[in-house]
Amino acid sequence: MSDKTYQYKIGHWTLNPWTSELIHGNNKTHLQNQVAKVLVILIEANGKVISKKDLLEKAWEGAIVTENSLDKSISELRKILGDSRANPQYIETIPKKGYRLIAPLKKVELEESILPMIKKRSVFKWILLFLLLTISALAFFFNQNIRSKKILAPNGKTIASVKSDGSHYGLYTENIINGKVHKLDSFPKPESLVVNWSSDSNHIIYNTTLSKDDFYAINVLDLSTNNISYIKFSKNESKSIPYPNDLDSPPKFLEHKKLSKSDNTVHYIAYTNKDTIKVLFNDNVISDFKW
C-alpha cells in the first residue's frame, strides 16, 4: 500500500491509509480491507485506467476470485462516496477496459501531532492481525478435514468444490456466470479434501479415500458424459487389495508408477493415452492432484 504518512483528498472526501477511513466532515466510514486496497490502487494510478485483471491481481494478491468480488468492492465504494455508474463523479467505468478515478486528487502530509497516535493504533492493529492469522492457521491445520475445498476451472467458468452436505460429503460445481450449483456425487468423509481439474476443464478429479481403508480411492468425473472412473491402489504396496463389489459401474484399473522423495510421494497414473494424472502425497495422505 502507499506511504501512510500521507492522506488523500478525493473530491469532498479524505482517505486516511493508516486507518482505512473515508472522512467527509463528521462522517467517518471504515473501509473493508479489500475495498480500501481497490481505492488506493485507483488513487496511485493517478487518473489512468486500471484493468479489472490488474485490480484483481494487486488487491487480492494472487488469490483465486472472480470479477464479481471486484464489482462488489467498486459498488461499495460508490455507495459510500455517493457516486453512480451512470453519472460518475469519482469512479468511472471504462467499458471492456476497467476503472479509473476521475475526482480531483490531492496528497496531503499528515500532521506530526496525530502521527504517534495513529502509529500506536497501527501497531496494535498489526499485533491483533498477527494473532488472528496465527489462530486461523492453527484452526486450519486442526480442522483441514472438515473444511470445504474450492478450485476454479482453467477456463474460468466453473468452480468445483468438495464439502460437507450433512451426513456425507459431496462434489459440487458452481457456474460463475449464473451462480447455479449442481451436486454431482456423494460419498463418506474422505481423509483429505482434495479436488482439481483437467487442463481442458472437462474432467474433475477428487479424493474419496477413507481413513479406515487400506487403499486409496480417487474418482474422475467426465463432465461431458457424467460418467465416473474409479482409481484405486493399495496404501500398503506389499499386498494387493481387491476392488469393492458394491460400485455402481465397472471399475477402471489404471497403470501407475510411484516416485518417493523424503516425506513426499508422487504417483503418476496413466488416465488415457494422452493424459497423466499426478497424485501428490504428504505423510501418506493425498494432498493435491495435477493433470
Side-chain angles (χ1 to χ4, degrees):
M1 194 170 279
S2 61
D3 184 352
K4 292 182 179 180
T5 60
Y6 290 85
Q7 59 186 4
Y8 297 95
K9 299 286 187 180
I10 314 164
H12 300 296
W13 291 82
T14 299
L15 173 67
N16 187 332
W18 276 97
T19 60
S20 296
E21 286 180 334
L22 267 176
I23 305 166
H24 179 32
N26 295 324
N27 184 8
K28 292 185 179 181
T29 303
H30 181 79
L31 301 179
Q32 295 180 359
N33 186 44
Q34 296 305 136
V35 176
K37 284 184 178 180
V38 169
L39 180 55
V40 170
I41 292 167
L42 289 171
I43 288 171
E44 292 178 339
N46 199 26
K48 295 181 181 179
V49 178
I50 301 293
S51 69
K52 288 187 175 184
K53 180 181 177 182
D54 286 344
L55 274 168
L56 285 168
E57 289 179 353
K58 292 179 180 179
W60 279 266
E61 299 177 352
I64 299 176
V65 294
T66 66
E67 287 188 3
N68 185 51
S69 299
L70 174 59
D71 293 340
K72 287 182 178 179
S73 295
I74 294 293
S75 178
E76 179 68 16
L77 281 172
R78 283 175 170 155
K79 181 179 179 181
I80 294 170
L81 295 167
D83 201 16
S84 71
R85 179 189 176 111
N87 185 27
Q89 302 297 316
Y90 289 89
I91 300 173
E92 182 181 17
T93 299
I94 310 299
K96 298 183 180 181
K97 291 186 177 181
Y99 300 99
R100 70 177 175 184
L101 194 68
I102 59 174
L105 181 64
K106 185 178 180 181
K107 189 176 182 180
V108 181
E109 189 171 0
L110 285 169
E111 297 177 12
E112 290 294 330
S113 59
I114 66 173
L115 274 173
M117 177 185 66
I118 293 176
K119 288 181 178 179
K120 286 180 181 179
R121 186 189 304 177
S122 180
V123 170
F124 176 76
K125 176 182 176 181
W126 283 110
I127 292 174
L128 180 60
L129 179 60
F130 174 77
L131 291 174
L132 290 174
L133 288 174
T134 302
I135 294 171
S136 297
L138 290 173
F140 171 79
F141 285 111
F142 284 110
N143 299 285
Q144 60 177 338
N145 287 339
I146 60 173
R147 290 169 58 91
S148 64
K149 179 76 173 181
K150 296 182 179 181
I151 297 291
L152 181 67
N155 63 16
K157 296 180 180 180
T158 311
I159 293 174
S161 62
V162 172
K163 58 185 177 181
S164 173
D165 56 10
S167 59
H168 278 64
Y169 276 67
L171 172 68
Y172 295 82
T173 56
E174 179 182 353
N175 188 296
I176 292 295
I177 298 175
N178 57 31
K180 289 185 177 180
V181 176
H182 298 283
K183 182 178 180 180
L184 305 178
D185 194 10
S186 181
F187 40 87
K189 177 184 175 182
E191 65 178 6
S192 62
L193 300 187
V194 185
V195 61
N196 218 323
W197 290 86
S198 62
S199 56
D200 60 7
S201 301
N202 291 331
H203 297 78
I204 303 174
I205 181 169
Y206 51 105
N207 183 31
T208 57
T209 304
L210 303 180
S211 299
K212 65 181 180 64
D213 288 339
D214 50 5
F215 58 87
Y216 295 107
I218 301 168
N219 291 4
V220 181
L221 174 67
D222 185 337
L223 291 173
S224 64
T225 62
N226 286 329
N227 290 331
I228 298 175
S229 297
Y230 302 93
I231 304 171
K232 173 174 168 264
F233 50 96
S234 174
K235 291 181 180 178
N236 180 2
E237 295 186 0
S238 65
K239 65 177 182 177
S240 176
I241 305 299
Y243 220 99
N245 296 319
D246 58 350
L247 295 175
D248 295 331
S249 60
K252 182 175 182 178
F253 289 100
L254 304 173
E255 294 182 357
H256 75 277
K257 62 180 179 179
K258 175 184 175 182
L259 175 64
S260 296
K261 184 177 181 182
S262 186
D263 294 332
N264 299 319
T265 303
V266 179
H267 284 254
Y268 294 88
I269 300 174
Y271 181 67
T272 66
N273 292 333
K274 297 181 179 179
D275 294 326
T276 298
I277 297 169
K278 184 162 63 173
V279 186
L280 286 73
F281 290 80
N282 193 322
D283 292 332
N284 298 317
V285 176
I286 294 176
S287 60
D288 201 1
F289 298 117
K290 300 294 182 183
W291 196 280

